[in-house]
Amino acid sequence: MIVSVDHSLSGAVAPRKKLVSVVVPFYNEGDGVDSFYRAITKIFEKQCDFEFEVVCIDDGSRDDTLQRLIGLIDRDQRFRVVELSRNFGKEAALTAGIDEALGDAVVPFDADLQDPPELIPVLIAAWLKGADVVQARRIDRGADSYLKQKTAVAFYRAFNFFSPAKIPENVGDFRLMNRAAVNALKKLPERQRFMKGLFAWIGFNTVTVDYSRNARAFGTTKFSGWKLWNFAIEGITSFSTVPLKFWSYLGALGALLTFSYAVFIVVRTMIFGVDVPGYASLLVAVLFFGSLQLISVGVLGEYLGRIYMETKQRPVYLVRHLHQRNADAKQL
Ligand code: UDP
Ligand code: MG
């Protein structure tokens, strides 16, 4: 007798392994591509229950980063390279990679190996236990200079004072997000992308894992003091309107004090008569309030500039080529 078996119902098909995408922005990191490759693939070997893909973004590097990344694709088909048309900055590069990633979970990761790849399995374990987002928190910033540590603390304090969406201290971009969180992130349309803030804004069930951050394995930081300062302003203005409102309250307080002082002068003049001196105090008051007004106009300008940039609706990044195995450089 021939018995036909319906394989679709027998449950014999092995379940698909979950795919984890590691998203890595590269900007002039040519010297480090090989050590990055070795370090990251070593982690994958021990994680047999998962498939991995590495989405590398070449953020308009001027060295041989792109050629070396393309070389990786020949060695390992898990690697894909998004080549941007120029340098768009880390936030845009990360956005490009997250858009391109196909994984059930996505892990943004720095090319310079400052974040230990060994932590990726720890993030995955926490994700499997049910977390939507697993964020990695640096408990030791010893690798950063004293000034960078202090300014970082000041920035986190300032940001959280101003912004309704709080970012946890010492949590960078290194984290794991499940597909739902990634899809939520992709819905945020803004052009000025302060990723740390966007990550915090989406919410989701979040778990924190502590680690200590290494010094750069190679190369030098791409963020100068001035760039970091602008980055900080970008972050605060993207998430808070408190700096705009502040001036109304300061103005009201100033008006109140001035009015009280005016009443005082009128009463004093009626009692003691006219008193001519006061040139110095007058000048100080004029200059002081003039400066305050300039600062407040400057703050308005910061926001106006951002509104202007947003209204242009330009894309966050432009892709020149998507390099991947079997599709040799699919032109977009
Ligand atoms: N990066 C980038 N585009 C840029 C600047 C930086 O893609 O315009 C990448 C860089 O290659 C690295 C990551 O962003 O993989 C973090 O940069 P970096 O290590 O210089 O920052 P730091 O760790 O000093 O804050
Ligand atoms: Mg770094």
Side-chain angles (χ1 to χ4, degrees):
M1 193 177 77
I2 298 169
V3 180
S4 87
V5 178
D6 182 353
H7 286 285
S8 65
L9 297 175
S10 68
V13 184
R16 181 181 72 84
K17 283 186 184 178
K18 287 203 161 106
L19 176 68
V20 177
S21 307
V22 182
V23 170
V24 196
F26 285 79
Y27 178 52
N28 297 341
E29 307 278 9
D31 293 344
V33 169
D34 281 335
S35 21
F36 167 77
Y37 176 79
R38 279 194 301 277
I40 202 90
T41 47
K42 205 167 111 199
I43 300 302
F44 298 166
E45 279 159 20
K46 297 186 197 126
Q47 296 282 305
C48 311
D49 297 338
F50 300 92
E51 302 272 7
F52 286 92
E53 65 163 0
V54 183
V55 181
C56 304
I57 305 96
D58 175 52
D59 187 15
S61 300
R62 280 185 292 268
D63 64 357
D64 58 353
T65 303
L66 179 65
Q67 287 70 33
R68 285 175 184 246
L69 288 177
I70 293 173
L72 293 186
I73 303 176
D74 298 332
R75 262 154 82 178
D76 192 328
Q77 61 175 5
R78 293 172 296 193
F79 281 71
R80 290 191 285 143
V81 179
V82 182
E83 181 191 345
L84 300 187
S85 63
R86 62 169 171 84
N87 177 248
F88 282 88
K90 182 183 176 187
E91 311 296 293
L94 212 48
T95 306
I98 290 172
D99 287 348
E100 188 55 41
L102 302 169
D104 300 293
V106 175
V107 180
F109 194 78
D110 279 2
D112 58 9
L113 299 176
Q114 275 198 283
D115 302 316
E118 300 80 49
L119 206 68
I120 295 179
V122 181
L123 302 183
I124 292 178
W127 166 48
L128 291 184
K129 282 193 194 140
D132 298 322
V133 176
V134 190
Q135 60 190 11
R137 179 172 55 198
R138 302 161 205 171
I139 45 168
D140 159 27
R141 294 184 72 116
D144 288 343
S145 69
Y146 179 79
L147 189 68
K148 192 160 182 186
Q149 289 179 36
K150 289 291 165 211
T151 47
V153 170
F155 169 71
Y156 285 113
R157 299 262 158 86
F159 184 95
N160 289 332
F161 174 76
F162 286 124
S163 163
K166 308 292 174 205
I167 50 174
E169 277 189 31
N170 293 328
V171 172
D173 297 331
F174 183 32
R175 62 188 54 230
L176 178 147
M177 291 173 285
N178 72 2
R179 188 35 62 187
V182 171
N183 288 343
L185 195 66
K186 285 164 76 171
K187 280 196 191 136
L188 306 184
E190 50 251 78
R191 304 296 186 270
Q192 325 256 324
R193 302 187 77 77
F194 180 69
M195 294 306 272
K196 277 194 247 301
L198 299 182
F199 287 146
W201 189 89
I202 58 169
F204 284 84
N205 172 9
T206 304
V207 167
T208 306
V209 171
D210 289 334
Y211 75 109
S212 66
R213 192 161 206 241
N214 305 321
R216 249 180 178 270
F218 45 80
T220 49
T221 178
K222 307 292 178 287
F223 289 91
S224 62
W226 179 243
K227 221 169 159 187
L228 280 175
W229 166 253
N230 282 307
F231 190 50
I233 292 188
E234 173 84 52
I236 291 172
T237 50
S238 297
F239 282 86
S240 171
T241 53
V242 171
L244 279 176
K245 294 178 192 150
F246 171 77
W247 299 101
S248 321
Y249 293 101
L250 189 72
L253 185 71
L256 197 72
L257 290 177
T258 313
F259 181 75
S260 318
Y261 188 53
V263 171
F264 167 74
I265 290 175
V266 168
V267 172
R268 198 184 58 175
T269 311
M270 279 167 30
I271 297 172
F272 298 108
V274 185
D275 181 12
V276 179
Y279 174 76
S281 56
L282 198 68
L283 193 66
V284 167
V286 167
L287 290 179
F288 179 68
F289 286 106
S291 315
L292 276 190
Q293 277 166 2
L294 279 183
I295 295 172
S296 65
V297 171
V299 172
L300 281 179
E302 287 287 340
Y303 282 87
L304 186 69
R306 282 177 174 78
I307 296 169
Y308 176 60
M309 296 312 281
E310 290 289 333
T311 53
K312 286 176 192 264
Q313 304 257 328
R314 286 185 186 158
V316 177
Y317 59 87
L318 288 174
V319 178
R320 178 163 179 269
H321 270 104
L322 175 64
H323 304 268
Q324 57 189 352
R325 185 72 77 80
N326 301 331
D328 29 40
K330 191 171 93 190
Q331 189 119 26
L332 292 186

